[in-house]
Amino acid sequence: SEFGPESERAITGYTATQRVEIKVRDTDQVGEVLSRLGQTGVSNLSGPNFSIDDPEALYAEARAAAIADARTKAKVLAGDLGVRLARVVGFWENQGPYYPYAETRSSYGLGGAEDAAIKLEIPEVPLGEDEIVVTVNISYEIR
């Protein structure tokens, strides 16, 4: 060959990986779960990732609150203008994405323990909140 001597390829080993996803609904237990995974020798932990189990139910609740708030504001404005609200003639809704907010830490002190005698402390899981946003615009016929 013009690029050098030809050589044969040989398999020298294999790498096997397995991905397991664990759902923990009791957030008070997340640190304990992460600690135990680290103690068992798991070498590549990712997370925790926080999510809402049923966001549609929360969107429906937020929508109902937004509609009630818009109606209250419209009634006040109608009173200020000296008009009455009639039927709804237009409706627009925007469901913004929910953004989990959490204080971040650079390390949880996790990983495979090289010595079984090493005791890993339970990592502190960041606290935070999720926000669901629904914006509505309602147009009323006025009389």
Side-chain angles (χ1 to χ4, degrees):
S1 153
E2 63 184 81
F3 297 107
E6 291 188 25
S7 62
E8 291 186 24
R9 293 184 177 195
I11 297 174
T12 59
Y14 294 93
T15 301
T17 59
Q18 181 176 6
R19 178 184 165 106
V20 177
E21 186 172 311
I22 300 172
K23 184 178 283 192
V24 180
R25 287 190 170 87
D26 182 355
T27 56
D28 292 338
Q29 297 298 313
V30 172
E32 177 70 25
V33 169
L34 291 172
S35 178
R36 287 183 185 240
L37 288 170
Q39 290 173 352
T40 62
V42 173
S43 61
N44 188 4
L45 289 174
S46 176
N49 299 316
F50 296 99
S51 64
I52 297 173
D53 267 350
D54 185 8
E56 288 307 315
L58 294 175
Y59 276 118
E61 186 179 330
R63 181 185 310 108
I67 290 170
D69 186 48
R71 182 163 182 79
T72 299
K73 289 178 181 177
K75 284 181 178 181
V76 169
L77 183 57
D80 291 346
L81 294 171
V83 297
R84 288 183 305 121
L85 296 180
R87 64 187 176 97
V88 173
V89 294
F91 177 80
W92 173 85
E93 172 186 355
N94 180 29
Q95 291 185 0
Y98 69 92
Y99 296 102
Y101 165 79
E103 176 186 327
T104 58
R105 300 184 187 278
S106 59
S107 172
Y108 291 110
L110 300 175
E114 293 181 12
D115 184 348
I118 296 174
K119 180 181 179 188
L120 293 177
E121 293 185 22
I122 295 175
E124 186 177 323
V125 177
L127 301 175
E129 62 185 37
D130 289 342
E131 185 176 89
I132 298 250
V133 177
V134 175
T135 303
V136 298
N137 288 330
I138 302 173
S139 299
Y140 291 94
E141 178 183 315
I142 56 174
R143 294 188 183 162

